């Protein structure tokens, strides 16, 4: 069964409160999403394997550590996942970036796919799927299904705000996918928005409301 990791580093929690504030404007909102994403990237990559490498300091030769050739890709779910890309790339500059375009139909709440472009060697990579909001879980489930259909096997999901319904939905279809979140909020409202949440992440990032 997959695991859920709630990342409660004080810096993540402090910035998350600022992100939730309805008076936080688009510029600051984008900056904070980037900063929280970078801090989450630091936590998510804790278990990356290391290997010994030789390095020559100005004093002598020594054995240092280096990431053991792990191939990574990050996959933001459009649109709101785009807000998390720069934070992840700032710590993982060699990662490739795939994109899955999905929107949630406001009537049915079902995810509708409109774009998918992944690195060609996706089966050999560890994939980090990024979406700031895990609400009903429909979008994350579908995105993970699409990338599994293209051969991806080793997948983690990273969402800033989640709720029990979304976590359960991903669990039931993808028991192999670990989930990393900064918060597990209380519930969904009648429009399937997370309560208390932060509102509509895509609209707040891109000023579309
Ligand atoms: O868990 P779910 O119930 O599927 O909801 C979460 C999805 O909803 C939002 O996307 P939205 O459909 O608003 O598209 P956008 O990112 O383009 O705004 C959010 O970015 C997630 O992708
Ligand atoms: O609370 C929510 C739920 C879905 N999408 C969002 O952007 N926010
Ligand atoms: Mg949206």
């Amino acid at each position: 069964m997959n695991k859920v990791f709630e990342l409660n580093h004080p810096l993540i929690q402090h910035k998350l409160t600022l992100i939730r504030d309805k008076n936080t404007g688009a510029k600051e909102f984008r900056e904070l999403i980037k900063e929280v994403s970078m801090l989450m990237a630091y936590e998510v990559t804790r278990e990356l394997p290391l290997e010994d490498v030789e390095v020559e300091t100005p004093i002598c030769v020594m054995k240092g550590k280096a990431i053991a050739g792990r191939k990574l890709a990050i996959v933001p779910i459009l649109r709101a996942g785009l807000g998390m890309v720069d934070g992840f790339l700032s710590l993982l500059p060699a990662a490739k970036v795939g994109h899955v375009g999905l929107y949630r139909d406001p009537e049915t709440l079902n995810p509708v796919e409109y774009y998918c472009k992944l690195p060609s060697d996706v089966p050999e990579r560890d994939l980090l799927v990024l979406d700031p909001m895990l609400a009903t879980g429909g979008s994350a489930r579908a995105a993970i299904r699409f990338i599994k259909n293209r051969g991806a096997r080793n997948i983690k999901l990273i969402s800033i705000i989640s709720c029990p319904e979304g976590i359960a939905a991903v669990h039931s279809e993808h028991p192999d996918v670990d989930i990393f979140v900064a918060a597990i909020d209380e519930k969904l409202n009648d429009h399937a928005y997370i309560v208390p949440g932060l509102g509509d992440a895509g609209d707040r990032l891109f000023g579309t409301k």
Side-chain angles (χ1 to χ4, degrees):
M1 200 57 174
N2 47 3
K3 299 191 210 76
V4 179
F5 299 91
E6 203 171 348
L7 306 177
N8 50 17
H9 190 290
L11 289 174
I12 294 178
Q13 295 303 314
H14 178 87
K15 289 175 190 296
L16 180 56
T17 302
L18 299 173
I19 287 173
R20 289 182 188 276
D21 189 334
K22 69 175 188 183
N23 295 314
T24 296
K27 176 175 181 288
E28 202 187 346
F29 187 86
R30 273 196 291 272
E31 288 167 358
L32 286 162
I33 292 279
K34 178 182 171 182
E35 288 165 12
V36 165
S37 301
M38 192 171 69
L39 293 165
M40 292 181 81
Y42 175 80
E43 299 276 16
V44 168
T45 51
R46 256 178 201 287
E47 308 291 328
L48 280 181
L50 292 171
E51 62 187 5
D52 290 335
V53 292
E54 204 168 81
V55 60
E56 191 173 355
T57 78
I59 311 296
C60 66
V61 173
M62 66 165 284
K63 279 227 164 55
K65 300 282 183 196
I67 305 281
R70 201 67 174 219
K71 289 170 111 184
L72 292 174
I74 60 175
V75 182
I77 301 178
L78 308 181
R79 288 175 305 163
L82 289 175
M84 300 177 71
V85 170
D86 284 353
F88 271 74
L89 283 182
S90 61
L91 292 195
L92 302 168
K96 299 221 170 168
V97 185
H99 294 84
V100 174
L102 286 175
Y103 69 88
R104 199 171 70 158
D105 183 291
E107 302 299 324
T108 65
L109 299 179
N110 289 326
V112 181
E113 185 194 4
Y114 59 88
Y115 190 73
C116 186
K117 179 80 180 173
L118 300 173
S120 55
D121 57 356
V122 84
E124 296 156 35
R125 292 186 176 267
D126 291 352
L127 297 197
L128 305 175
V129 175
L130 309 179
D131 194 325
M133 308 305 284
L134 179 60
T136 65
S139 303
R141 277 170 71 150
I144 294 167
R145 197 183 314 134
F146 297 148
I147 63 181
K148 279 185 174 174
N149 287 344
R150 289 164 171 84
R153 285 294 156 258
N154 195 349
I155 301 168
K156 294 180 171 61
L157 171 66
I158 298 100
S159 286
I160 298 178
I161 300 185
S162 67
C163 60
E165 295 89 332
I167 290 171
V170 175
H171 264 306
S172 68
E173 184 171 340
H174 304 292
D176 54 311
V177 173
D178 288 345
I179 305 174
F180 295 76
V181 300
I184 303 174
D185 277 9
E186 194 189 327
K187 60 180 181 185
L188 296 173
N189 70 13
D190 292 343
H191 303 285
Y193 276 85
I194 297 176
V195 180
L198 54 67
D200 191 302
D203 286 343
R204 291 192 67 184
L205 275 167
F206 299 113
T208 40
K209 205 154 208 170

